[in-house]
Amino acid sequence: MDISLSKIEEAIIQFYENPNGKGDVHHWLTSIQHSTHAWTFAFSLLDPCKNNEVQFFGGNTVYIKVSRYWHELPKEEYEGLKRKLLEMIAKFADNKPIVGRLLKAMSAFVLNTLEKDWPTALEDLVSTFNPDAVTGLPPGTALDLLFSLLMIIPDELENCHETMGISRATKNIIRSKLNQSSKGVLTLMRQVVEAGQVSNLTKEVVIKALDSWLRLPLPLSDTKDLLITLIPYSNYGLLCESVVECLRTALTEYDSRTPHTTMQFIVQLLQLTSVLDEALNAEDENTASLVYSLFTSIVENHSRLLLKVALENQGEQRSAVLQLVSLLVQCSGTPGQYPTHETLSNIPFSVWYTIQDDLMSFEGYERMQLMALFSPVYLQLVDTFLHKSLLPPDEALTAEEKELFRCYRQDICDSYMYTYFILKSAMLEKMERHLEHCIERIRRDYRDWRPLESLLHAYASIAETVAESDTDHVPRFVQCIPLIPFGDNVHLITVALSTLGAYADWLNYHQEYLEYVIPLMIAALDNELLVGSASQALRDLTLECPVTIAPFASPILNACQKALVQFPASDSAVKERIITIIARVLSVGLDQDVVMKHLNQTLTPIISEVDAIKSAAKTTGRHSKEQRHHLVHLVKLLSCLARHLNSNPTGYSDSGETSVDGSSSLPTAAGGDALVPGSGETTRSQPSQATEQPLLLVLRLVLPILLEIIDIELHADIIEVVCKLLKNSLSTLTSDVEPLIPLLLVMVPKLYCTTLHPAALDVIKLLSVLFGCPSNAHVSQMQGMVEGALQCSLERLKPDLWRHTDIVKSLLTFATNLIKKQSHMIHPNHVPALFSLGIQALNLPEEYTVHAAAVYINKFIQISRESKVAHHESIVWEHLELLLRTVMNCACHPHRQNFSLLCDLLRMLCKFYAGPQMLEAFRKIEADDNFLPLRLTRRDKHKFTTGVMGASGIKDTMAAVTDLALASRGVACTEFGATFPSLPGTPYVDPCAIPPQLAGASTS
């Protein structure tokens, strides 16, 4: 390539004049920078007569060539290049951007030659830039250049494998050589730092260079003395950040085999306390932040060491540990409002978890000693957090500051939990004393409510961790709630309600205290500003206390129904919670007439609105956007009712959750019938109830209306909420839903076949689980519904799977359940099509769909060898070659990472089908030169066959798949490829030579 220097200069100037609009110029400049010709013009561009842009391009080109294209340079030119680099570094010493590129080029030169060609590089460079020997450079400049170069060398080493192509083995050798030279470098650094005539700017460069060398890493025993020398310099504003960062690096990169040295160093670092005090007195938050962050880093990295020292050492070192932790408590309690007046108190949050976690890892007497030692610290922390989490005045924070403060309070909440694990009852005792004091304060002045709000926040934070057996402190807290003079303080009442809701689980075990809680919740339902928090708290209570709330059923129901009428414009989430509360309370064993009375009051308006929407849609032939949104909201309310309204006490489920795949146990059937999952059979535990469940009566009214609505027009959001209603109803009623089967057999297939929505398929799954047992009276109807859904799915999915990956995943999951438990539900004509669909789904991009396909194929292969489904075996044989091709294609796909799924498939195939026919399928693939022709050779495919057929376990199969993937990506023989597991000693043999006895293993 013969390119004139002037043309290059012209292109550089043209590019820098308008870099955004010169893509073609940028591409051309990049190409010549990476060309072999660049060695000839790079230094010419560094002529002092050129402008800065041209010079910078030249310096960058030198760096690129030395770092990435070292192999292009003949060995005899090494010395000349070194001289040129040193000459240019001296020439551009005052031009930081250009000398920076040249120093990086020099560091790359050192790394490329240090192993063999220039083993004394560091010593020679120190001599070259010795201020007493160098000519033409001021002493300070010479030192700056030397230590800048020493700073860059370890940094370049860190990334040399990626940027310079240096192998990992060579990288380790270079690191070893740098370590060998480190003592001389450290001595030089100390001399410069202690020299009085050296400027602080130069010392800053030295400290940054030391920080870089510490990351090699260097042993703390070698660097401790130098680091201690740096501590006084943290008092200088210019050097503080560099010194503290250097000290932090030394402690994070330390060798854990030298705990004694580490502890000695930590003790020395407490000298920084004087620097911290000066910074705090001067309101220098930046310096204080640096020191506090260093102390935090010490505890985070060496918490267990500090705890051991505190446990074993009675003298200076234990005092140092306690002083260090106390300093962090001081940091947490920094005076002022976060984040407007101070931003220090959020620094040590992570420390409180680290100490607690490591402390709890000790056992027996040691743990007791440590807890006694650190309890005063954590008790002080409780007081600190209660003060720091006080809400500021309403207008004191901007929106952004409010969000920061919210996150800050959440961190305090987490820290309360860690504190409770250590203090237990001692923390509750302290909080109880605060509670008495706060109540007294708000009684004296109703405006003094913020301390109480902060304390309630703390009580809520530890609700999940408080033991259910606590009968001392929590009862007294609950009994104090009615004594609080809330007045009309909406915020305080909201926090109190939220806190009480957090203790719902505890209240379930101590129902005698419900009388102190429920009246406040009921009263709050009557206030539009409080109905949201009240409904949330009462919902939590009814979910956790499904039986113990029975004595309060009447006032709760009345208040909820009043709230629905009184606040019709409430948020939909609030209404859903209120409906949930009503459903839970109606399920506690009330008389049937009472239940129906309240259901009529609650549901009549809802059902009437649904019917009105149906009538309006019939008139226009479609739903308006507003009608559709309102309908979705109404059906969600009915869905909440269906999930929680269960008048069968033995079948009551606290969670109301049921797995849609039918694999987990469903709630018990009405009358105590326990449903056997997947069988449709019931085991009678007590006589069936004489009356129908109230939910069934509700569905008799609602479902016909919904059926008419979906006949008019179907939208995805309507399908989703209707299916949610049906799933919740089936989960609650189980076999009691039987009278509605004729209606469901019309409604559910219509929902599914219209849009192939996964939610409708979930309903079909539940129905098949409930009524698909061969002995069930409705089995033929269920079979027809399933066959219709499968037929519809296969016809609609066949043209384009990629647009329906969600339904493919749901369909294959359903098919897996069917072949495992209800194979009689699948029509024989659908079996081959489903297996083929599973194979095609392996090519889809979504991992969850591929996983469902792999699970289905694995299960199908496994059961295909069973005698009762022998016809499945022929399907596997017919699709064997296609399956193998698909697996290989997936392994070779550049974006595929789910190799474990492919390995499981191959292992299952080999387990049940290894033999001559499988070998023949592999041979056809090997001989097909049109199969992945640009990625695999015959030898690659041959090796894969050998690896898979000869694998003795999953690791060998994984190695075979990995080798195939690497070969297809062209990196099989590279260093990158060598980082992956390969076939462990598997010889390359002809597949025909594999013993036919392998076929015998297929039936094992």
Side-chain angles (χ1 to χ4, degrees):
M1 180 184 292
D2 189 14
I3 305 171
S4 66
L5 201 61
S6 59
K7 185 177 180 181
I8 296 173
E9 288 184 53
E10 183 183 342
I12 295 169
I13 294 170
Q14 185 183 0
F15 173 75
Y16 277 104
E17 285 178 352
N18 183 17
N20 294 327
K22 301 295 181 181
D24 53 341
V25 176
H26 176 262
H27 179 74
W28 184 80
L29 288 172
T30 302
S31 65
I32 65 163
Q33 226 174 14
H34 291 265
S35 69
T36 309
H37 183 64
W39 290 105
T40 63
F41 67 73
F43 283 101
S44 300
L45 296 175
L46 288 166
D47 190 313
C49 299
K50 312 288 184 186
N51 64 28
N52 279 339
E53 289 83 3
V54 174
Q55 291 171 346
F56 181 81
F57 184 84
N60 197 42
T61 302
V62 172
Y63 169 60
I64 289 174
K65 298 308 292 184
V66 175
S67 61
R68 302 186 192 180
Y69 298 97
W70 182 253
H71 59 277
E72 296 177 352
L73 190 69
K75 184 173 289 190
E76 55 270 17
E77 295 184 19
Y78 289 0
E79 190 64 28
L81 177 60
K82 179 174 68 174
R83 285 197 304 271
K84 278 185 180 180
L85 283 171
L86 292 172
E87 177 188 339
M88 290 297 169
I89 288 171
K91 186 177 293 186
F92 288 94
D94 295 328
N95 192 323
K96 284 190 175 181
I98 297 172
V99 80
R101 307 312 293 172
L102 293 171
L103 287 171
K104 286 176 73 70
M106 190 70 228
S107 68
F109 184 96
V110 171
L111 295 179
N112 279 317
T113 57
L114 187 62
E115 182 184 2
K116 297 177 182 176
D117 301 298
W118 194 17
T120 59
L122 294 175
E123 293 81 357
D124 294 347
L125 288 171
V126 170
S127 299
T128 300
F129 291 99
N130 186 337
D132 298 329
V134 71
T135 58
L137 284 176
T141 303
L143 287 175
D144 286 348
L145 291 174
L146 172 61
F147 286 103
S148 294
L149 182 57
L150 290 175
M151 174 177 62
I152 294 171
I153 288 173
D155 291 341
E156 286 290 300
L157 176 67
E158 185 63 29
N159 301 311
C160 68
H161 177 64
E162 293 81 11
T163 60
M164 299 174 61
I166 293 177
S167 68
R168 299 187 195 280
T170 304
K171 178 180 176 180
N172 291 333
I173 294 172
I174 296 172
R175 179 182 281 112
S176 176
K177 287 187 172 291
L178 291 178
N179 276 319
Q180 292 169 15
S181 303
S182 63
K183 289 188 178 179
V185 173
L186 294 173
T187 301
L188 177 64
M189 289 177 175
R190 183 164 186 169
Q191 291 172 354
V192 175
V193 167
E194 292 179 338
Q197 68 274 24
V198 176
S199 70
N200 283 342
L201 287 172
T202 299
K203 288 180 180 179
E204 183 183 19
V205 179
V206 175
I207 294 168
K208 289 181 178 179
L210 173 59
D211 183 74
S212 181
W213 278 71
L214 288 171
R215 298 176 195 275
L216 282 174
L218 298 178
L220 186 58
S221 55
D222 292 349
T223 60
K224 179 167 69 75
D225 294 338
L226 173 56
L227 291 165
I228 291 173
T229 305
L230 295 180
I231 292 176
Y233 290 94
S234 59
N235 231 351
Y236 296 86
L238 176 66
L239 300 179
C240 182
E241 185 171 353
S242 301
V243 169
V244 171
E245 188 58 39
C246 195
L247 296 173
R248 191 206 312 271
T249 301
L251 281 167
T252 54
E253 300 288 348
Y254 93 116
D255 185 350
S256 59
R257 292 170 294 184
T258 58
H260 181 67
T261 304
T262 303
M263 196 60 220
Q264 286 181 330
F265 183 53
I266 290 173
V267 172
Q268 292 289 337
L269 288 180
L270 288 175
Q271 296 177 41
L272 290 168
T273 305
S274 60
V275 177
L276 177 63
D277 291 340
E278 288 183 24
L280 292 174
N281 290 334
E283 297 184 355
D284 180 3
E285 196 168 87
N286 183 55
T287 301
S289 173
L290 291 170
V291 179
Y292 277 139
S293 297
L294 174 61
F295 289 160
T296 299
S297 180
I298 291 171
V299 179
E300 283 180 337
N301 287 284
H302 308 289
S303 171
R304 190 164 180 83
L305 170 64
L306 295 172
L307 292 175
K308 282 185 177 180
V309 168
L311 194 63
E312 300 167 359
N313 189 292
Q314 301 292 327
E316 179 190 18
Q317 291 190 347
R318 173 187 280 188
S319 300
V321 172
L322 294 177
Q323 181 186 356
L324 183 60
V325 177
S326 296
L327 285 168
L328 294 180
V329 174
Q330 173 186 302
C331 179
S332 291
T334 302
Q337 175 66 55
Y338 181 90
T340 50
H341 302 141
E342 61 88 11
T343 55
L344 296 175
S345 58
N346 64 323
I347 292 174
F349 276 130
S350 59
V351 161
W352 311 123
Y353 168 75
T354 304
I355 294 176
Q356 174 266 144
D357 189 50
D358 284 334
L359 189 151
M360 300 304 286
S361 67
F362 288 84
E363 295 181 354
Y365 182 65
E366 288 184 339
R367 183 192 289 183
M368 291 175 59
Q369 279 186 297
L370 287 171
M371 291 182 77
L373 196 62
F374 284 91
S375 286
V377 173
Y378 276 85
L379 281 170
Q380 183 183 352
L381 201 59
V382 173
D383 293 334
T384 299
F385 285 151
L386 286 174
H387 177 71
K388 292 298 293 182
S389 62
L390 287 173
L391 286 175
D394 294 336
E395 305 302 323
L397 303 180
T398 64
E400 183 179 354
E401 289 167 346
K402 285 179 181 178
E403 177 60 19
L404 287 172
F405 187 66
R406 185 194 66 78
C407 296
Y408 177 77
R409 284 191 115 197
Q410 184 56 53
D411 288 333
I412 287 179
C413 285
D414 296 338
S415 299
Y416 279 134
M417 288 193 294
Y418 314 143
T419 303
Y420 179 79
F421 285 129
I422 290 179
L423 297 178
K424 301 291 185 182
S425 61
M427 180 177 179
L428 293 173
E429 288 173 6
K430 176 172 276 291
M431 292 172 65
E432 196 172 320
R433 290 194 294 272
H434 276 286
L435 181 62
E436 294 171 0
H437 180 61
C438 288
I439 293 177
E440 195 61 38
R441 288 178 64 173
I442 198 172
R443 280 176 176 167
R444 289 197 301 266
D445 184 356
Y446 71 92
R447 294 168 297 183
D448 193 10
W449 57 271
R450 285 181 172 81
L452 179 57
E453 189 273 347
S454 176
L455 182 62
L456 291 174
H457 203 246
Y459 270 109
S461 302
I462 61 172
E464 292 184 6
T465 54
V466 171
E468 296 166 355
S469 57
D470 185 280
T471 55
D472 296 324
H473 304 289
V474 177
R476 288 197 288 270
F477 162 65
V478 172
Q479 288 173 312
C480 280
I481 295 297
L483 305 178
I484 298 174
F486 290 107
D488 57 355
N489 192 324
V490 171
H491 184 86
L492 188 60
I493 299 173
T494 298
V495 174
L497 290 168
S498 175
T499 303
L500 293 174
Y503 281 88
D505 184 54
W506 183 90
L507 288 165
N508 186 38
Y509 294 92
H510 303 86
Q511 63 188 61
E512 64 273 20
Y513 295 100
L514 285 171
E515 61 181 294
Y516 298 98
V517 173
I518 289 181
L520 177 63
M521 297 180 180
I522 291 175
L525 283 175
D526 197 36
N527 187 321
E528 188 172 8
L529 298 175
L530 295 170
V531 67
S533 54
S535 62
Q536 181 67 62
L538 200 51
R539 175 185 178 275
D540 293 342
L541 199 65
T542 54
L543 288 174
E544 297 294 341
C545 311
V547 177
T548 52
I549 58 169
F552 306 92
S554 181
I556 291 175
L557 290 170
N558 291 334
C560 286
Q561 285 169 344
K562 183 180 178 183
L564 286 175
V565 174
Q566 194 172 350
F567 311 120
S570 295
D571 183 78
S572 60
V574 173
K575 289 185 177 180
E576 288 174 28
R577 290 196 293 266
I578 292 176
I579 292 293
T580 297
I581 295 167
I582 292 173
R584 300 291 288 192
V585 174
L586 291 178
S587 302
V588 297
L590 302 180
D591 292 339
Q592 185 79 353
D593 56 343
V594 176
V595 173
M596 296 312 300
K597 171 193 168 186
H598 285 288
L599 278 180
N600 283 331
Q601 292 179 4
T602 304
L603 297 181
T604 298
I606 297 174
I607 296 175
S608 297
E609 290 184 52
V610 173
D611 192 56
I613 292 173
K614 176 204 72 175
S615 301
K618 271 189 171 183
T619 304
T620 60
R622 58 186 298 275
H623 303 105
S624 67
K625 186 177 180 180
E626 293 74 17
Q627 287 174 339
R628 196 167 75 247
H629 289 169
H630 190 44
L631 178 64
V632 167
H633 163 63
L634 295 173
V635 179
K636 280 184 178 179
L637 297 181
L638 295 171
S639 182
C640 289
L641 184 86
R643 178 180 175 184
H644 298 285
L645 179 61
N646 190 350
S647 61
N648 173 14
T650 60
Y652 202 91
S653 168
D654 284 352
S655 66
E657 298 282 356
T658 304
S659 174
V660 297
D661 63 4
S663 59
S664 61
S665 57
L666 293 165
T668 55
D673 295 345
L675 185 71
V676 180
S679 68
E681 295 177 348
T682 58
T683 304
R684 182 70 59 181
S685 59
Q686 68 179 47
S688 180
Q689 297 175 350
T691 57
E692 287 185 335
Q693 285 218 47
L695 177 58
L696 188 62
L697 301 175
V698 173
L699 293 175
R700 288 183 187 277
L701 294 173
V702 172
L703 292 188
I705 301 175
L706 292 178
L707 180 58
E708 291 187 61
I709 288 175
I710 64 177
D711 277 338
I712 299 169
E713 189 180 16
L714 264 183
H715 290 270
D717 51 355
I718 295 177
I719 293 176
E720 196 164 329
V721 293
V722 170
C723 289
K724 183 67 174 176
L725 168 63
L726 295 176
K727 284 192 287 186
N728 287 345
S729 301
L730 290 171
S731 301
T732 301
L733 295 174
T734 62
S735 60
D736 283 353
V737 82
E738 187 173 2
L740 296 178
I741 284 181
L743 181 59
L744 292 173
L745 288 174
V746 175
M747 190 173 189
V748 176
K750 182 172 293 187
L751 285 168
Y752 180 68
C753 293
T754 303
T755 60
L756 293 189
H757 201 291
L761 189 60
D762 291 339
V763 180
I764 294 174
K765 289 182 196 177
L766 280 176
L767 283 170
S768 67
V769 169
L770 289 169
F771 302 104
C773 174
S775 59
N776 194 286
H778 301 283
V779 64
S780 60
Q781 296 168 296
M782 294 299 111
Q783 192 171 1
M785 179 183 63
V786 170
E787 289 177 1
L790 293 179
Q791 181 66 31
C792 178
S793 301
L794 293 171
E795 289 177 356
R796 299 268 294 278
L797 293 174
K798 189 175 181 180
D800 187 4
L801 297 187
W802 293 72
R803 295 177 58 188
H804 305 282
T805 54
D806 53 345
I807 193 62
V808 172
K809 179 257 182 187
S810 296
L811 184 64
L812 290 173
T813 303
F814 182 33
T816 303
N817 290 331
L818 290 177
I819 61 173
K820 284 164 61 176
K821 300 176 181 179
Q822 296 178 308
S823 57
H824 63 279
M825 300 283 286
I826 306 178
H827 193 281
N829 292 341
H830 294 151
V831 177
L834 281 172
F835 191 71
S836 177
L837 177 69
I839 295 174
Q840 294 176 59
L842 292 174
N843 291 309
L844 295 176
E846 287 79 8
E847 188 170 347
Y848 59 84
T849 305
V850 174
H851 181 268
V855 171
Y856 169 71
I857 295 172
N858 267 336
K859 193 63 186 178
F860 191 95
I861 292 171
Q862 182 181 341
I863 68 168
S864 66
R865 287 296 198 180
E866 298 175 7
S867 57
K868 62 181 181 180
V869 285
H871 62 282
H872 288 182
E873 184 178 337
S874 61
I875 296 173
V876 176
W877 286 123
E878 290 171 11
H879 293 81
L880 182 59
E881 184 181 339
L882 174 62
L883 178 56
L884 292 174
R885 285 177 181 268
T886 303
V887 169
M888 292 175 69
N889 183 65
C890 290
C892 296
H893 194 283
H895 302 298
R896 282 302 169 91
Q897 300 296 328
N898 46 7
F899 285 175
S900 59
L901 297 176
L902 305 180
C903 292
D904 290 341
L905 275 177
L906 292 171
R907 286 300 302 158
M908 190 64 70
L909 271 176
C910 288
K911 179 178 179 181
F912 290 101
Y913 285 89
Q917 287 180 268
M918 186 170 177
L919 289 172
E920 183 181 353
F922 267 124
R923 284 199 295 272
K924 286 182 180 178
I925 297 172
E926 290 174 27
D928 185 359
D929 293 331
N930 293 320
F931 178 62
L932 299 173
L934 301 179
R935 296 189 178 188
L936 298 177
T937 64
R938 285 196 178 192
R939 182 177 180 83
D940 294 329
K941 292 183 280 188
H942 207 157
K943 183 181 179 183
F944 177 70
T945 300
T946 304
V948 171
M949 296 296 292
S952 60
I954 191 66
K955 288 184 178 180
D956 292 347
T957 306
M958 175 63 82
V961 173
T962 303
D963 281 353
L964 184 74
L966 293 174
S968 70
R969 291 159 172 79
V971 292
C973 298
T974 64
E975 184 179 354
F976 172 77
T979 62
F980 291 84
S982 59
L983 288 172
T986 304
Y988 180 76
V989 296
D990 192 302
C992 297
I994 296 176
Q997 287 82 353
L998 281 175
S1002 65
T1003 57
S1004 60

